[in-house]
Amino acid sequence: MDWEQRSKTYDNVSWVNDEQLLFNFLKPIFEYKKNIKILDAASGSGACCKFLLAKGYSNITCLDLSIDMMNKNNENVTKIIGNIENLDIEDESYD
């Protein structure tokens, strides 16, 4: 897939802007304290990260294969360009 091209219009996809859908999708996270460490794998342009930041969560790492998608992510998150299958992250590093 051409992620550079797709990144230009990705934020126009309906689910990215659907706050109720994002709330329902992320609802299990809201049971935890806001200081948990969150890894958003395949974060794309960061819709989930942005939503979590707006809810007061701050220790968020976004992971995606696409540099172009990651460039759209919020500056208040840690960014990792890579593949979830090949990451060198210790077990239980994230909540």
Side-chain angles (χ1 to χ4, degrees):
M1 175 162 291
D2 183 359
W3 289 109
E4 178 182 3
Q5 193 64 24
R6 185 159 181 187
S7 71
K8 294 174 184 174
T9 59
Y10 189 79
D11 287 338
N12 296 330
V13 177
S14 62
W15 77 264
V16 171
N17 300 299
D18 187 334
E19 288 200 23
Q20 187 62 49
L21 186 141
L22 287 168
F23 178 82
N24 289 333
F25 179 70
L26 298 168
K27 194 173 183 178
I29 293 174
F30 302 141
E31 297 174 13
Y32 297 95
K33 295 181 179 177
K34 294 189 177 181
N35 64 347
I36 62 173
K37 286 183 71 176
I38 298 170
L39 174 63
D40 181 8
S43 67
S45 62
C48 291
C49 293
K50 291 172 194 170
F51 192 84
L52 289 168
L53 286 166
K55 295 293 183 192
Y57 293 85
S58 60
N59 198 352
I60 303 170
T61 299
C62 295
L63 165 74
D64 202 274
L65 287 169
S66 170
I67 293 170
D68 297 298
M69 287 290 206
M70 290 300 282
N71 285 338
K72 293 178 149 266
N73 256 299
N74 191 297
E75 293 301 318
N76 297 321
V77 298
T78 302
K79 299 176 186 180
I80 300 175
I81 307 291
N83 186 326
I84 190 89
E85 295 177 353
N86 300 320
L87 286 181
D88 187 24
I89 294 177
E90 289 184 41
D91 289 345
E92 300 184 33
S93 294
Y94 293 91
D95 299 302

